[in-house]
Amino acid sequence: ATTYHHAIPSSRLGTRHESLGSYSDSQQKQNNHQHQVPTEFSLVVILSPNAHLHDDDGDHHHHRSHTNENNANTTSNMSILLGKKLRGFGEGFYNCFGGKLEKSRGEHAHPAKGAVREVNEETGISVPLSVMEDGFVGTINFTFEDWDVNRAMKMHLYCVFIDLSGDAKKYETSPQNGTNMEEQPHQQQQYAHTPVTVHPKQIRGCDEIEPRWFHNVHDMPLDQMFADDS
């Protein structure tokens, strides 16, 4: 078994459905009571294979290799960037980056636009729209038992890969020009999709979010995340 050093307590987990049929029945009962249009959000997972080489503020004291309970040595080859909420709903909790889609900006019709905007506002990272679109994973639908108080949510999920570079010339990445992969053909093979080249100092938070790299999946602060997000 694999050990997570900050596992979420079982007391914070919801009811487990023993079968797909049980889950479907519960959803059908809830759907009979609500016919509301869900509030739509973006959520972006940011990964990097080389963040540990440039990061001075993340969990750098944890080595990327670890030993599980069976003494099998494994290595995590991806770091994940999470944001700590500094105020408001979820204060003190970590999550990926994103937020409510703004219909006035055309983001309901084009959710990737909202994802690009939120990532830039919360991290300083400029992701080209085409890269965000290519990184689309799927949608997650959240419903709540107190549906008359908490409206259903539809989450548009994306995954973006970051290539951290100390080269100041690569600091000029923008949503318009993106990354010139012709100059970096050897890096293409490390990623599932085209990466965005970012200077380490470009990553900065805002008054609401503090970004932090986690270089070992087993050190992710699952106990400081909402159960559905962990």
Side-chain angles (χ1 to χ4, degrees), residues 42-102:
S42 63
L43 188 66
V44 184
V45 179
I46 298 178
L47 303 175
S48 173
N50 64 351
H52 64 291
L53 300 176
H54 301 275
D55 177 35
D56 295 325
D57 299 318
D59 62 335
H60 200 69
H61 57 284
H62 293 298
H63 196 272
R64 291 166 65 83
S65 296
H66 61 272
T67 302
N68 62 24
E69 292 179 353
N70 294 325
N71 295 320
N73 191 57
T74 58
T75 300
S76 172
N77 62 354
M78 282 287 174
S79 299
I80 184 170
L81 186 65
L82 297 177
K84 184 177 182 180
K85 193 73 178 293
L86 301 179
R87 59 177 174 82
F89 180 72
E91 180 179 352
F93 272 37
Y94 286 89
N95 203 346
C96 293
F97 303 92
K100 186 177 179 179
L101 299 181
E102 297 186 13

Side-chain angles (χ1 to χ4, degrees), residues 49-209:
N50 64 351
H52 64 291
L53 300 176
H54 301 275
D55 177 35
D56 295 325
D57 299 318
D59 62 335
H60 200 69
H61 57 284
H62 293 298
H63 196 272
R64 291 166 65 83
S65 296
H66 61 272
T67 302
N68 62 24
E69 292 179 353
N70 294 325
N71 295 320
N73 191 57
T74 58
T75 300
S76 172
N77 62 354
M78 282 287 174
S79 299
I80 184 170
L81 186 65
L82 297 177
K84 184 177 182 180
K85 193 73 178 293
L86 301 179
R87 59 177 174 82
F89 180 72
E91 180 179 352
F93 272 37
Y94 286 89
N95 203 346
C96 293
F97 303 92
K100 186 177 179 179
L101 299 181
E102 297 186 13
K103 190 173 184 179
S104 62
R105 295 173 179 261
E107 294 174 355
H108 280 201
H110 202 165
K113 288 184 178 179
V116 168
R117 175 180 57 79
E118 289 285 354
V119 167
N120 184 255
E121 291 176 358
E122 296 180 349
T123 69
I125 299 173
S126 297
V127 180
L129 181 59
S130 61
V131 173
M132 188 67 76
E133 291 172 334
D134 289 344
F136 178 67
V137 177
T139 57
I140 307 174
N141 296 298
F142 293 92
T143 56
F144 303 92
E145 292 182 353
D146 56 346
W147 56 269
D148 53 333
V149 177
N150 290 300
R151 190 173 181 175
M153 298 190 303
K154 182 177 182 179
M155 202 78 66
H156 299 265
L157 182 63
Y158 300 85
C159 183
V160 172
F161 292 88
I162 298 298
D163 172 27
L164 284 188
S165 171
D167 187 343
K169 292 182 180 179
K170 297 177 183 178
Y171 193 10
E172 300 174 356
T173 302
S174 71
Q176 288 71 39
N177 58 40
T179 302
N180 185 355
M181 290 309 300
E182 293 181 359
E183 298 176 359
Q184 316 167 49
H186 63 287
Q187 296 179 0
Q188 182 70 52
Q189 298 178 358
Q190 302 180 52
Y191 304 90
H193 301 287
T194 302
V196 179
T197 303
V198 176
H199 190 283
K201 291 184 179 180
Q202 183 180 353
I203 301 177
R204 47 96 185 113
C206 59
D207 60 348
E208 186 179 1
I209 299 290

